[in-house]
Amino acid sequence: MLNYKHLHYFRTVAKTGAINRAAEKLHLTPQTLSGQIGVLEQRLGVALFRRSGRRLELTDAGRTALAYADEIFHVGAELEEALQNRSAARAHPFRVGIADVVPKAIAYQLLAPALTLAEPVKLVCKEGRLEQLAAELSIHRLDMVLADRQLPSSMDIKGYSHPLGECGIAFLAARAIAGALGPDFPANLHGAPLLIPGEDSALRAPLLRWLERRGIQPSVVGEFDDSALMSAFGQAGAGVFPVPLSTAPEVMRQYEVIELGQTLEIRERFFAISVERRLSHPAVLAVSEAARRRFQPRDAD
């Protein structure tokens, strides 16, 4: 059985970077603390620290252990809070990973229903690349990942992709840009400054194929993994930028841009990725059911 007092000692040393400082904080002698860390390393069968000058640095195994220790003591704090306040309604954490490429407005639309459940939910959102978030999902540090693509089969991670819905694309621009391009959409995109999603986005390839099929050659002036950053550049007049059709009205209000045109030939799709083949988490079910209602019936092509 893992000794959690030893784990606490290890975490304190890792945070302070030195045995002496950690010993003062823990009210132990440096010799005692060093011995306890040695017992933990022997129990785990790995070295957790290496010396770098006067400081201790974590090994690769140490960094892994620290991530788990942080999670363990975070859950312990939640347990203590739950028992101390058991007479009051407690919000259960709903931990969601959101791929960088998913528009913030879409993420809000999809996740908002989880906050309306009868059982209170505390939403904890983490943004990142899909690969990183899927890895955290696989070790149950996340309950769900929102993405614009299915979990790639090339990733050695067990997970299931549940379609949430899809919509067409609108092209938006600042008024000065739109006025200079004229109303003839999509021909007005030819030669226009264009902002496009980065390589991680599932929308990028279909967007470029659509432009090529129509013989439209814009001037690509920027690529963005973060859709909010792309919208901010579009607001500043850097170029035309695509957004999901379902969020276009909100983006136009927020960023004070106007629509050049829209197409249903390019479709942006959204998925809930979970470790469950059949969804059972109440918050994930709420997200899935609300999304199906929102995006149905399917837009006509």
Side-chain angles (χ1 to χ4, degrees):
M1 178 70 70
L2 185 65
N3 188 315
Y4 289 96
K5 182 173 287 187
H6 292 165
L7 193 63
H8 173 56
Y9 294 162
F10 155 73
R11 185 169 179 252
T12 305
V13 174
K15 298 291 186 181
T16 60
I19 288 286
N20 289 340
R21 287 199 295 272
E24 291 177 7
K25 191 171 183 179
L26 293 166
H27 305 291
L28 298 171
T29 67
Q31 295 78 11
T32 299
L33 181 56
S34 182
Q36 296 297 298
I37 296 298
V39 170
L40 178 62
E41 290 180 320
Q42 185 176 7
R43 170 70 179 83
L44 297 175
V46 293
L48 299 173
F49 295 100
R50 57 170 169 266
R51 188 163 292 280
S52 176
R54 294 184 178 182
R55 288 185 58 81
L56 290 176
E57 291 184 350
L58 289 167
T59 62
D60 289 343
R63 282 190 289 272
T64 299
L66 180 59
Y68 277 98
D70 284 341
E71 185 72 12
I72 287 169
F73 287 106
H74 176 72
V75 171
E78 288 185 348
L79 171 62
E80 185 177 12
E81 180 185 352
L83 295 178
Q84 289 175 350
N85 301 283
R86 58 186 180 275
S87 59
R90 175 174 175 264
H92 297 280
F94 177 37
R95 300 181 177 90
V96 181
I98 304 173
D100 288 331
V101 295
V102 174
K104 305 299 183 288
I106 285 285
Y108 170 74
Q109 290 176 0
L110 293 174
L111 295 177
L115 300 178
T116 64
L117 294 173
E119 290 290 329
V121 166
K122 181 176 74 174
L123 187 60
V124 181
C125 294
K126 179 173 183 178
E127 287 188 274
R129 296 171 64 93
L130 177 56
E131 293 80 2
Q132 169 200 352
L133 298 174
E136 295 201 36
L137 177 72
S138 69
I139 57 174
H140 303 282
R141 296 185 69 178
L142 294 172
D143 299 307
M144 182 184 81
V145 172
L146 280 183
D148 67 341
R149 69 181 69 198
Q150 299 185 58
L151 187 67
S153 58
S154 59
M155 293 180 63
D156 189 21
I157 292 174
K158 185 178 180 180
Y160 301 94
S161 303
H162 308 277
L164 295 178
E166 59 182 74
C167 63
I169 297 298
F171 290 84
L172 310 182
R175 291 185 181 276
I177 294 288
L181 295 178
D184 187 16
F185 179 85
N188 55 5
L189 296 178
H190 188 78
L194 182 66
L195 311 177
I196 65 173
E199 293 183 353
D200 284 347
S201 172
L203 177 63
R204 177 192 175 100
L207 170 62
L208 295 178
R209 286 197 298 267
W210 180 78
L211 292 168
E212 184 179 3
R213 284 198 309 269
R214 289 181 167 268
I216 298 170
Q217 296 182 348
S219 174
V220 176
V221 296
E223 302 181 11
F224 301 85
D225 288 336
D226 188 300
S227 61
L229 183 59
M230 182 168 64
S231 297
F233 270 76
Q235 179 186 33
V240 180
F241 60 102
V243 300
L245 204 50
S246 67
T247 65
E250 181 177 343
V251 175
M252 285 191 285
R253 285 194 302 270
Q254 181 178 352
Y255 291 93
E256 299 179 336
V257 292
I258 62 176
E259 182 181 306
L260 291 178
Q262 56 183 252
T263 179
L264 300 179
E265 295 178 9
I266 312 170
R267 309 194 68 85
E268 185 146 31
R269 296 172 170 83
F270 304 100
F271 297 87
I273 301 174
S274 74
V275 294
E276 305 171 309
R277 184 185 295 274
R278 293 178 61 86
L279 297 179
S280 61
H281 191 295
V284 179
L285 280 171
V287 168
S288 177
E289 291 169 2
R292 291 179 187 278
R293 291 194 300 268
R294 180 179 186 85
F295 285 99
Q296 297 295 332
R298 186 177 182 272
D299 296 327
D301 286 316

